[in-house]
Amino acid sequence: MLTIYDTTGTSLLKHDDTAAITADTVWFDLLNPTKEEDNRVEDLLKISVPTRAEMREIEASSRFYQENGASYMTGFIVHNIDEHTLGSSTLTFILTGNALVTVRYSDSKAFPAFLSRVERGDATCRTGAGIMIGLIETLIERQADLIEQIQDRVDKLAKGVFELQKRRTRDTKLDALLKGIGAQGDIVARVTESATSLERVLHVLKNTAQERNCDGKIFQRIETADRDLTSLAEHMRFLSDRIGFLLNATLGLISNEQNQIIKLFSVMAVMMMPPTLVASIYGMNFRHMPELEWIEGYPLALGLMVISAVIPFIYFRHRGWL
């Protein structure tokens, strides 16, 4: 889908497809574009729109480059942060003249959020560079919201791991907690990758803005966004360390539970050895066994087996093994 926006200086309006492209046309947004839509943008702006496969290439020369006077910047973003399953995709910014082209294959909610900011007057939209930094600011804000959600989830997981006095439910069993901790660790890794990618995009945008002699306010916003990403990176490092600690603690508790079970079986086996020995002796079928003729032989044998089991039990409890 191709959406084209014209600027009025303070707001963005969808471009009439029947009208010609003017100097006020500042944003071409390609969402899951078809080949025809790619060709249309290429014909209008005389640029080459990268394919989805080209956007996925990881080398810096394929993500940040200039071609025919246009600057290409590709970053890794996370989306669906309000859903249970976090998504990730690439996003390409193309600055050509006074216009911005965005190429994306995910319906990130950061884009409608940015448009809402523009309607409220909280984001400038006069130039393509201004729209680009506004989109990046919105992406950073949504990542900050996601980190706050992760902090709440990690706090809940930590409470489940270390509240040992309460009876464990289905959601607080160690195997469920282990899966939850692993899931949050994966999310933090993705957000960290996205923040690092956006930081590189900002650095390239700063150099590009200098070459294009952009408004000084753009540089101030780039510096502010860069500081915000640095702050987020510190939070993510803390979360990553905490998740690692919780993972080790959970694995340790699981190992301890397994050891307790093995120890219980071992102690039970030792406790049953003397009664088994007594039963084995009097279960033999030798003809000359004087105890077989005793009237009290059966209760005495049972009592001997009970005593031989109780004595090891008392000893183990005294040593703190049970």
Side-chain angles (χ1 to χ4, degrees):
M1 181 176 66
L2 172 61
T3 308
I4 304 175
Y5 295 92
D6 294 334
T7 181
T8 64
T10 57
S11 62
L12 289 172
L13 300 176
K14 286 188 177 181
H15 180 78
D16 186 357
D17 289 340
T18 61
I21 299 300
T22 66
D24 292 332
T25 307
V26 292
W27 186 14
F28 299 77
D29 183 29
L30 288 164
L31 171 61
N32 295 314
T34 62
K35 184 62 177 177
E36 291 75 16
E37 291 170 339
D38 280 348
N39 292 337
R40 182 185 176 191
V41 173
E42 290 177 348
D43 292 338
L44 288 173
L45 301 177
K46 308 304 179 185
I47 62 172
S48 175
V49 176
T51 64
R52 190 171 190 175
E54 292 172 341
M55 291 169 59
R56 289 175 57 87
E57 295 182 1
I58 61 175
E59 57 268 29
S61 59
S62 298
R63 292 202 165 194
F64 307 102
Y65 61 94
Q66 291 187 351
E67 185 177 275
N68 296 329
S71 299
Y72 293 73
M73 291 158 276
T74 300
F76 177 83
I77 64 170
V78 291
H79 54 89
N80 294 337
I81 68 173
D82 299 324
E83 308 295 335
H84 294 292
T85 303
L86 186 71
S88 58
S89 64
T90 51
L91 168 63
T92 296
F93 299 95
I94 307 173
L95 282 176
T96 174
N98 194 47
L100 170 69
V101 179
T102 53
V103 187
R104 55 196 176 105
Y105 290 88
S106 62
D107 192 8
S108 173
K109 293 182 180 179
F111 283 72
F114 168 72
L115 291 173
S116 297
R117 288 180 58 199
V118 172
E119 291 178 1
R120 297 193 304 267
D122 295 337
T124 59
C125 56
R126 295 178 179 273
T127 63
I131 295 173
M132 179 175 173
I133 186 60
L135 286 170
I136 293 176
E137 289 170 346
T138 306
L139 288 168
I140 293 173
E141 289 176 3
R142 290 187 62 80
Q143 284 193 6
D145 294 338
L146 177 58
I147 292 174
E148 292 174 1
Q149 294 177 21
I150 298 172
Q151 287 177 330
D152 293 338
R153 296 171 192 166
V154 172
D155 287 339
K156 184 176 179 180
L157 289 169
K159 188 176 181 180
V161 171
F162 294 112
E163 281 193 353
L164 303 180
Q165 302 299 325
K166 293 185 178 180
R167 183 181 179 87
R168 292 197 178 276
T169 63
R170 182 186 299 272
D171 294 332
T172 59
K173 287 185 177 180
L174 292 177
D175 56 343
L177 292 172
L178 185 62
K179 292 178 181 178
I181 293 170
Q184 298 310 309
D186 177 66
I187 293 175
V188 169
R190 292 191 186 191
V191 177
T192 301
E193 182 182 6
S194 176
T196 303
S197 179
L198 288 178
E199 187 176 16
R200 293 172 181 170
V201 170
L202 279 175
H203 291 166
V204 177
L205 175 59
K206 182 178 181 180
N207 295 331
T208 303
Q210 290 174 344
E211 295 174 357
R212 296 172 178 269
N213 296 320
C214 292
D215 183 21
K217 293 182 179 180
I218 297 293
F219 296 98
Q220 295 176 1
R221 294 171 65 185
I222 291 174
E223 293 294 337
T224 301
D226 190 39
R227 287 194 297 270
D228 290 341
L229 282 175
T230 301
S231 176
L232 292 183
E234 294 175 356
H235 283 286
M236 286 183 288
R237 279 194 294 269
F238 168 75
L239 277 175
S240 181
D241 292 341
R242 190 178 184 193
I243 288 173
F245 167 72
L246 290 177
L247 181 63
N248 292 331
T250 305
L251 290 174
L253 289 172
I254 291 174
S255 178
N256 185 58
E257 283 193 354
Q258 292 174 341
N259 291 336
Q260 290 292 337
I261 293 172
I262 296 300
K263 183 173 71 173
L264 178 62
F265 278 114
S266 300
V267 170
M268 292 296 296
V270 173
M271 287 174 53
M272 297 304 297
M273 284 176 62
T276 302
L277 177 61
V278 173
S280 298
I281 291 174
Y282 290 106
M284 294 185 292
N285 294 322
F286 292 115
R287 184 180 298 274
H288 300 289
M289 294 183 67
E291 296 88 346
L292 297 180
E293 304 296 333
W294 292 355
I295 298 176
E296 300 85 359
Y298 178 68
L300 286 175
L302 291 179
L304 182 60
M305 285 187 282
V306 171
I307 292 173
S308 63
V310 170
I311 290 176
F313 175 78
I314 295 174
Y315 176 75
F316 293 148
R317 287 295 299 270
H318 178 70
R319 296 296 300 270
W321 296 348
L322 287 175

